[in-house]
Amino acid sequence: MDMDLDAHLTDAAAAVADASDLDALSVVDTDLLGKKSLLATVRSQLGEMEPDRRKEVGRRVNEVRTGIERLVAQRRAELAAGARAGVLEAERLDLTEFDLGRRLGHRHVVTQTWERLEDLFVGMGYTVAEGPEIEDEWHNFGALNFPPDHPARDMYDTLYVDYGEPQSTLLRTHTSPVQIRVMEEQEPPIYSIMPGRVFRSDTADSTHMPVFHQIEGLVVDRGITFGDLAGTLEAFTTAYFGSGFTSRLRPSYFPFTEPSAEFDIRRPDGSWLELAGCGMVHPNVLASCGLDPEEWSGFAFGFGLDRLALMRHGIDDLRELFRNDHRFLEQF
Ligand code: PHE
């Protein structure tokens, strides 16, 4: 009987080790420790044994039982850990994109353009200013010489924010409100650029997006003329695009500049592209900001920043800049 129990422990260890999952282990558990197990049978026979033998066999049965219980518990822990790892692996979400061998990220083409423009104007002595994307009606329109209900407001498909009085708060439709903030906050001379995100309720197509970027320029000083504006934009064109490009100014209208113009560039293939609105800061705008138009004059311009990026890289669809497909973006 003792030999049987030793052999039984060895067999039991093998059976436990063979159990390949928790269900198989519970079957083995019942076989080895349940009511019909060898141990139960031996225990039921103890009563028929001599007292000494009973004591001896009884002790051995308990040892073997304890041994088997320990093996089963160990195996159960192992299998449970394995099952957990299996679940974790099966439910793992691979959030990394397919890697084409280029491991480092880089700046978005719009950001690159933004920074390049900043560098260029900072090199010409300008400072960089920013303003809020949610604006009040005064900074976006009123102070810029748009009288209430003036039809020029219809030039901008304004997205209003449900805050305060109706139509008092909006997503800025251009970066020009930052001109106002700069003039309110600092004394001339002012030589600043104001890059930022702007919003209009436009349907997305190859040349329009409801969210896009502009870079505004503002100069206010004594004796600033339209010639200074034209010269600045021409210098910008050569510096940004290279010597194959020239520019022109066409008469236009903005309530906040007088005279106003559109700035176009001529590409090496001879075609023209409209890139900015510009003009001499309207005396009413200077006065709104507490500046005496007799003493100060200035010019302003507003570029479509995304268009500059498209132009420079020969991209033909504005929407590509906002799709964030890394196969597209990693080209630039
Ligand atoms: N803010 C104008 C626009 O978004 C552009 C502009 C800026 C025109 C500065 C003149 C001067 O259309």
Side-chain angles (χ1 to χ4, degrees):
M1 184 56 81
D2 287 358
M3 280 310 293
D4 274 4
L5 284 174
D6 287 340
H8 183 58
L9 185 55
T10 314
D11 292 348
V16 168
D18 274 357
S20 58
D21 58 33
L22 289 165
D23 288 343
L25 184 65
S26 81
V27 173
V28 173
D29 185 9
T30 312
D31 285 353
L32 294 174
L33 301 168
K35 288 191 186 107
K36 292 177 185 153
S37 64
L38 180 73
L39 288 179
T41 312
V42 175
R43 190 188 286 272
S44 72
Q45 294 164 354
L46 288 175
E48 297 154 20
M49 295 177 191
E50 293 294 308
D52 283 353
R53 173 118 180 99
R54 185 193 307 155
K55 203 175 159 199
E56 170 65 18
V57 174
R59 188 179 54 78
R60 194 68 196 118
V61 166
N62 282 338
E63 281 169 7
V64 171
R65 166 172 281 275
T66 311
I68 293 177
E69 280 170 355
R70 190 176 300 132
L71 288 170
V72 169
Q74 268 170 18
R75 183 70 185 140
R76 181 170 288 123
E78 260 170 49
L79 289 171
R84 250 195 323 275
V87 169
L88 286 180
E89 181 58 28
E91 293 181 353
R92 194 163 79 96
L93 273 185
D94 184 358
L95 297 176
T96 56
E97 287 212 28
F98 179 57
D99 183 82
L100 298 164
R102 180 168 167 165
R103 290 181 177 277
L104 281 180
H106 68 292
R107 283 191 232 287
H108 191 280
V109 62
V110 170
T111 313
Q112 289 176 40
T113 306
W114 180 317
E115 291 181 348
R116 217 186 119 79
L117 290 163
E118 283 187 357
D119 284 352
L120 214 141
F121 280 103
V122 166
M124 288 162 73
Y126 287 62
T127 58
V128 180
E130 283 185 25
E133 293 177 353
I134 299 179
E135 263 299 3
D136 53 62
E137 183 282 331
W138 169 251
H139 286 92
N140 197 83
F141 290 128
L144 287 162
N145 197 34
F146 290 79
D149 303 320
H150 191 277
R153 294 193 182 210
D154 300 341
M155 289 160 58
Y156 301 91
D157 300 297
T158 309
L159 290 161
Y160 288 94
V161 176
D162 188 6
Y163 180 82
E165 293 291 302
Q167 308 215 331
S168 64
T169 311
L170 43 83
L171 296 180
R172 67 180 178 195
T173 58
H174 50 176
T175 41
S176 301
V178 192
Q179 285 185 34
I180 303 301
R181 292 184 178 277
V182 168
M183 286 188 274
E184 282 171 346
E185 278 159 27
Q186 94 199 37
E187 297 282 309
I190 294 167
Y191 290 79
S192 287
I193 51 159
M194 293 142 266
R197 197 183 281 148
V198 300
F199 309 82
R200 293 185 196 173
S201 69
D202 263 332
T203 307
D205 64 25
S206 63
T207 53
H208 295 87
M209 283 296 289
V211 181
F212 58 105
H213 303 89
Q214 288 187 336
I215 182 163
E216 191 91 3
L218 174 70
V219 167
V220 180
D221 205 341
R222 291 189 174 87
I224 296 292
T225 68
F226 200 84
D228 295 316
L229 169 61
T232 302
L233 291 178
E234 183 68 27
F236 161 79
T237 307
T238 333
Y240 188 77
F241 291 104
S243 49
F245 291 78
T246 51
S247 64
R248 73 178 175 196
L249 292 169
R250 270 182 302 123
S252 184
Y253 172 77
F254 298 99
F256 40 95
T257 45
E258 182 59 33
S260 301
E262 298 290 343
F263 168 73
D264 304 335
I265 59 159
R266 185 174 187 275
R267 297 181 269 208
D269 69 1
S271 61
W272 291 94
L273 183 75
E274 184 183 313
L275 281 186
C278 59
M280 300 307 290
V281 180
H282 196 291
N284 290 352
V285 175
L286 293 171
S288 295
C289 301
L291 297 175
D292 179 1
E294 297 297 325
E295 183 179 1
W296 303 105
S297 59
F299 64 75
F301 54 83
F303 278 99
L305 198 152
D306 314 278
R307 275 202 185 170
L308 288 169
L310 295 190
M311 258 300 298
R312 211 184 142 73
H313 297 286
I315 303 165
D316 54 17
D317 192 328
L318 181 61
R319 288 167 293 193
E320 291 290 359
L321 298 185
F322 298 90
R323 259 198 267 273
N324 283 339
D325 182 332
H326 81 132
R327 289 163 302 186
F328 169 79
L329 291 175
E330 71 178 359
Q331 300 174 81
F332 309 101

